[in-house]
Amino acid sequence: TKFPLQQKEITPSASSQLRDHLASQISKRRRLLNISPSEIGGAEIRADLLFASTTHEETDLGTAIHQLFQKISWIDTTNIEQLIKEWQAASLMAEEIQQKAVVQFQRALASTEIRQALSRPQGNVTLWREKHFDVVVNDQWITGAFDRVVIIRNSEGTPLRATISDFKSNEISSEASLTGAAESYRSQLSLYGSALSQILHLHAPGITLQLIFTQPGKVYRLR
């Protein structure tokens, strides 16, 4: 003869005691700090300017310039005029923003420094453009996207060194303002470097960090 299993009834007070006991226990799970490099560094925006038209215009202009540069693989093999036409045809930006972005884009590409940064190096090369990533480094969960990464590999495909380039459309009026703007992004680029080091299993000294300032046509190397 089979007898039904007797289930022990948990009284409300016992349930409360169990809940309090579990709440008092220290969790053994690691809590990861989520960080987005793009939210670190750069000039702070005053609260009263968040909805100012000039701020939105500057943001849209920066986005437009990024979109244009993201379309370049290697400067020597890219048809710039065709690239601009295709971007304008697909862009939802205001006409004025488009015109300003194209002017700054073309002026930046006249810079020897920037053309060098966008040229294809010799050897076995991999290019990443707008490459999204999600990695854990030293209990920090880093989420973001690289603007541009050039990876040099050996004949077997193992990464030897890499260069992270990040495009910035800041208004720069002097050498001092260039240095100040660049240094404000050091923490952000350092996080990019840590993420890439983890992804490629490449030590930090093998990773170059540089900012491409499109308005003055300057490349600033942080490491």
Side-chain angles (χ1 to χ4, degrees):
T1 305
K2 293 184 179 180
F3 297 94
L5 295 175
Q6 296 293 322
Q7 293 185 346
K8 185 177 180 180
E9 182 179 355
I10 299 178
T11 64
S13 68
S15 175
S16 177
Q17 290 175 2
L18 177 61
R19 183 171 60 251
D20 292 342
H21 172 72
L22 292 175
S24 67
Q25 300 302 302
I26 299 176
S27 174
K28 295 182 180 180
R29 296 172 57 192
R30 286 191 308 162
R31 293 192 176 186
L32 303 179
L33 177 63
N34 182 228
I35 297 177
S36 176
S38 62
E39 297 174 356
I40 297 176
E44 295 184 357
I45 301 176
R46 285 173 23 211
D48 61 332
L49 293 180
L50 285 175
F51 298 99
S53 59
T54 53
T55 300
H56 286 301
E57 288 174 3
E58 290 171 359
T59 300
D60 287 347
L61 179 60
T63 299
I65 292 170
H66 269 75
Q67 291 173 351
L68 286 164
F69 273 100
Q70 286 165 12
K71 290 181 172 295
I72 296 179
S73 51
W74 306 114
I75 190 65
D76 302 330
T77 58
T78 300
N79 185 325
I80 299 301
E81 291 186 5
Q82 183 65 28
L83 181 156
I84 292 173
K85 288 180 180 179
E86 292 176 356
W87 174 77
Q88 288 179 319
S91 178
L92 299 178
M93 297 285 183
E95 184 66 28
E96 182 181 359
I97 296 296
Q98 288 188 36
Q99 291 177 358
K100 288 182 178 179
V102 169
V103 169
Q104 188 171 139
F105 179 61
Q106 292 175 322
R107 187 184 299 132
L109 293 182
S111 163
T112 301
E113 294 179 33
I114 291 183
R115 293 188 69 86
Q116 180 63 36
L118 301 178
S119 296
R120 189 186 194 284
Q122 295 182 342
N124 184 8
V125 182
T126 300
L127 173 65
W128 290 349
R129 291 176 290 167
E130 196 61 21
K131 177 80 169 181
H132 291 262
F133 62 85
D134 239 317
V135 297
V136 175
V137 180
N138 297 328
D139 290 339
Q140 292 182 332
W141 175 18
I142 307 176
T143 303
F146 301 113
D147 280 357
R148 185 181 182 91
V149 180
V150 176
I151 306 165
I152 308 298
R153 304 177 184 271
N154 63 17
S155 57
E156 298 176 348
T158 303
L160 300 176
R161 59 186 184 279
T163 298
I164 298 175
S165 296
D166 202 68
F167 298 104
K168 301 298 182 186
S169 56
N170 304 51
E171 288 288 330
I172 304 295
S173 58
S174 65
E175 196 67 29
S177 63
L178 174 67
T179 301
E183 290 300 325
S184 73
Y185 293 113
R186 184 174 289 278
S187 296
Q188 177 189 351
L189 269 290
S190 293
L191 278 176
Y192 282 137
S194 297
L196 189 64
S197 176
Q198 181 83 354
I199 294 168
L200 297 180
H201 304 290
L202 191 61
H203 294 303
I207 300 176
T208 297
L209 307 177
Q210 64 184 21
L211 295 157
I212 297 179
F213 287 97
T214 59
Q215 186 263 336
K218 295 287 185 180
V219 177
Y220 191 101
R221 182 169 173 174
L222 291 168
R223 186 177 75 198

